Amino acid sequence: MRLAEILKEMEIEGIAGDAGVDITGISYDSRKTGSGHLFVAMRGVHADGHDYIDEALTRGAAAVIHESGETFSAPPGQSVSFIEVKDSRKALSTASRNFFGNPSSKLAVIGITGTNGKTTSSYILKSILESWGKRVGLIGTIQYMIGADAYNASHTTPEAPEFQGLLDKMLSSGISHVVCEVSSHSLAQHRVDGTLFKAGIFTNFTRDHLDFHGTMENYFKIKEKLFRELLAPGGSSIINNDDLYGRRLIASIGRGERGPQKIYTYGLEEGTDLTAADINNSFGGLRFKIRMHGRNHHVVSPMMGLPNVYNILSAAGASVALGVPWDVILEGIRKSGTVTGRFERVDSGQNFLAIVDYAHTEDALERLIYTARGLTSGRIITVFGCGGDRDRGKRPVMGAIATRLSDFVVLTSDNPRSEDPSAIISEIVSGAERKNYLVEPDRSEAIRRAVLMAGNNDVVLIAGKGHEKYQEVKGKRLSFSDREVLERAIKQLTAGQ
């Protein structure tokens, strides 16, 4: 593709060189730059892409996008075009969309954002759309899927070239609908700019990622971007009306930049478009009615807990917006199954309930424990820690929630990254409301000890890492799976009985 076509609608300060040069690919990592590539130099937290332009040129880059105030020249004998822009990240998203032929304009892309519930909602919606006979792609935290083919997920929402490349590959594979989790980082870093979303789901909004966003207001404004700037003309918003920030979004959404849109609200409170009634929650799953426009629709789901009532409502609302019939919606919900690492039950013949869950925010941890409390008359034993190099303010708050709501807590390491696990745990302990806890930094041993404590009808909750199969320690990803460790501990317990 010619460079000039890739630069269409890009905010350009100046061009030096030939805009007619052929471009074979787009890269932002000099190590992955190939012959004929357009290299986009971006400033990051730990590195500045401008420092690697020479390496990109050595590897054959035919053109370079760089930010204002910098001057670069090609090596002797090499013809290179230089494009100066104010914001390289915005330029990368525009270039990626153009290079791959704007694939979202030919797909029905549904974006899901919010603090919690994105992954589960995405799998429920995927199941509904497949029950409707559609070929569905998925982009999310656990994996990327093109139909039945699954790929490891590097990020919840990948960088613009990978994101647009995935959409293009899905389109070529006969996919008609794409369900994707849209993280706040991706919105802030313009990874999905230029994408046309046919529908957007807002699940909820609680404290998270303040190490990156700084304030709750900044965090919310970024989430708001999906609905105000990225919905396709005539697109639909599906919003949790029980959430304070959801109601705020509903009030402000009419000022979106893409013109009028349809808003569907959901929740348990009166006055919403989709609401749940007569909720029955048990080990066997959920049974309840979805009420919409005076009609009742009877839901049967293998999922457990009130958070999943909200997730089901969000997916049902998006399905209604897309025109899916109610009988298909209910079938898709019934067939959706459980999601890896999301209130995932581990059963190895023990006499207590064991759950692995991704809960790593204060709200998610609180909901997790409340859900478990509603399923048993026994004790709740919670194992959790907090990640290193992330928002430290939530650590004592999560310590307070866990010790207040659980019968016993085992405080341990999560992904300590560059921090000392014991120091992280000390900050969690500072918020503890009761002395009903023990400290065990070794996560495997912490899980084993929780299992040894559990008795008949108790619930053991392993929170924080969910589907992850690693632990980040001092710059390395060490192999680690909560589920595998939990299964092993239970089998050792039952074998010794």
Side-chain angles (χ1 to χ4, degrees):
M1 179 179 285
R2 289 196 315 139
L3 177 61
E5 296 177 64
I6 295 173
L7 301 182
K8 284 181 179 177
E9 299 182 31
M10 188 180 296
E11 298 177 8
I12 296 172
E13 299 290 293
I15 300 178
D18 181 12
V21 65
D22 283 329
I23 299 298
T24 60
I26 298 175
S27 56
Y28 53 89
D29 184 336
S30 60
R31 296 167 296 183
K32 298 178 181 178
T33 300
S35 178
H37 275 206
L38 167 62
F39 176 71
V40 183
M42 302 188 298
R43 303 185 197 280
V45 176
H46 304 293
D48 186 343
H50 294 81
D51 296 336
Y52 298 91
I53 288 177
D54 288 343
E55 181 182 349
L57 295 177
T58 300
R59 291 177 180 271
V64 173
I65 288 179
H66 63 90
E67 291 189 352
S68 305
E70 303 280 355
T71 303
F72 300 96
S73 58
Q78 187 174 348
S79 178
V80 180
S81 300
F82 290 91
I83 302 95
E84 182 177 323
V85 299
K86 285 185 178 180
D87 190 323
S88 290
R89 280 199 168 275
K90 285 185 176 181
L92 179 64
S93 66
T94 301
S96 300
R97 179 199 64 193
N98 292 341
F99 182 77
F100 287 103
N102 193 13
S104 67
S105 66
K106 308 172 192 74
L107 293 162
V109 183
I110 303 96
I112 306 175
T113 197
T115 306
N116 302 307
K118 296 186 296 295
T119 300
T120 302
S121 297
S122 71
Y123 277 85
I124 299 169
L125 181 54
K126 180 175 185 289
S127 178
I128 293 171
L129 293 172
E130 287 174 338
S131 295
W132 199 26
K134 307 300 180 182
R135 293 204 71 221
V136 185
L138 180 77
I139 300 175
T141 304
I142 298 176
Q143 59 190 352
Y144 308 146
M145 298 185 72
I146 301 178
D149 297 327
Y151 306 86
N152 290 332
S154 56
H155 296 84
T156 295
T157 318
E159 289 285 359
E162 289 80 12
F163 185 79
Q164 297 295 336
L166 271 170
L167 294 183
D168 181 58
K169 189 173 182 180
M170 289 175 179
L171 184 63
S172 300
S173 300
I175 296 295
S176 61
H177 290 68
V178 180
V179 182
C180 59
E181 297 180 51
V182 184
S183 69
S184 59
H185 286 71
S186 72
L187 290 166
Q189 295 176 342
H190 307 288
R191 297 181 203 168
V192 295
D193 282 16
T195 304
L196 293 170
F197 289 91
K198 190 172 182 66
I201 296 174
F202 182 88
T203 61
N204 50 55
F205 186 82
T206 60
R207 179 177 181 143
D208 200 13
H209 305 306
L210 295 194
D211 54 295
F212 180 81
H213 298 292
T215 66
M216 290 288 283
E217 186 64 18
N218 290 342
Y219 181 30
F220 175 70
K221 287 294 185 184
I222 286 300
K223 293 285 189 186
E224 194 178 33
K225 177 180 175 180
L226 173 63
F227 305 90
R228 295 188 54 152
E229 299 179 26
L230 301 179
L231 281 190
S236 300
S237 294
I238 300 87
I239 302 172
N240 181 355
N241 191 63
D242 289 357
D243 186 273
L244 175 64
Y245 282 89
R247 292 193 292 273
R248 178 176 163 184
L249 178 61
I250 293 166
S252 69
I253 212 166
R255 298 193 296 274
E257 297 178 11
R258 299 298 182 104
Q261 58 175 270
K262 177 67 176 178
I263 300 174
Y264 295 86
T265 62
Y266 69 92
L268 304 185
E269 299 176 7
E270 291 295 326
T272 59
D273 294 313
L274 293 92
T275 189
D278 300 334
I279 299 170
N280 184 297
N281 180 36
S282 70
F283 287 149
L286 285 164
R287 306 287 187 276
F288 64 93
K289 298 174 186 174
I290 295 179
R291 289 179 178 166
M292 183 175 186
H293 300 157
R295 294 188 62 188
N296 289 327
H297 306 279
H298 296 267
V299 170
V300 176
S301 169
M303 296 181 176
M304 294 181 284
L306 190 61
N308 281 323
V309 173
Y310 281 95
N311 294 332
I312 289 168
L313 286 172
S314 73
S319 301
V320 170
L322 294 169
V324 184
W326 267 106
D327 60 332
V328 175
I329 293 173
L330 298 175
E331 179 188 3
I333 293 170
R334 180 180 55 80
K335 292 166 58 177
S336 62
T338 56
V339 180
T340 303
R342 271 56 176 184
F343 210 83
E344 182 181 9
R345 185 173 180 175
V346 176
D347 191 348
S348 294
Q350 76 276 13
N351 63 349
F352 57 88
L353 183 64
I355 299 293
V356 171
D357 194 86
Y358 191 51
H360 59 280
T361 67
E362 53 202 67
D363 178 70
L365 183 63
E366 184 174 46
R367 288 170 181 261
L368 172 65
I369 300 171
Y370 271 128
T371 297
R373 184 67 71 190
L375 292 171
T376 183
S377 58
R379 296 180 305 159
I380 306 295
I381 302 168
T382 303
V383 179
F384 90 102
C386 289
D389 303 332
R390 298 294 187 267
D391 178 14
R392 293 174 58 184
K394 69 181 181 182
R395 295 173 186 174
V397 179
M398 292 179 72
I401 289 169
T403 53
R404 182 175 71 251
L405 300 180
S406 306
D407 294 286
F408 199 82
V409 181
V410 184
L411 297 174
T412 189
S413 180
D414 190 287
N415 290 319
R417 300 184 176 90
S418 69
E419 290 193 64
D420 177 3
S422 296
I424 296 173
I425 293 172
S426 293
E427 293 187 11
I428 298 172
V429 167
S430 70
E433 294 189 2
R434 297 193 287 165
K435 294 291 185 180
N436 59 335
Y437 65 87
L438 65 82
V439 171
E440 176 47 73
D442 184 308
R443 193 171 179 93
S444 291
E445 180 61 17
I447 292 172
R448 190 185 75 84
R449 295 184 71 169
V451 167
L452 289 174
M453 290 178 203
N456 192 39
N457 292 325
D458 289 346
V459 180
V460 173
L461 301 174
I462 314 299
K465 292 175 58 57
H467 65 282
E468 293 177 352
K469 294 187 177 181
Y470 59 84
Q471 205 171 15
E472 291 188 53
V473 182
K474 301 297 182 183
K476 295 181 179 179
R477 285 195 169 189
L478 308 178
S479 179
F480 191 96
S481 164
D482 277 355
R483 182 185 177 93
E484 291 175 5
V485 172
L486 179 58
E487 284 180 331
R488 187 163 57 246
I490 293 172
K491 287 176 182 177
Q492 289 172 350
L493 173 68
T494 54
Q497 289 178 346

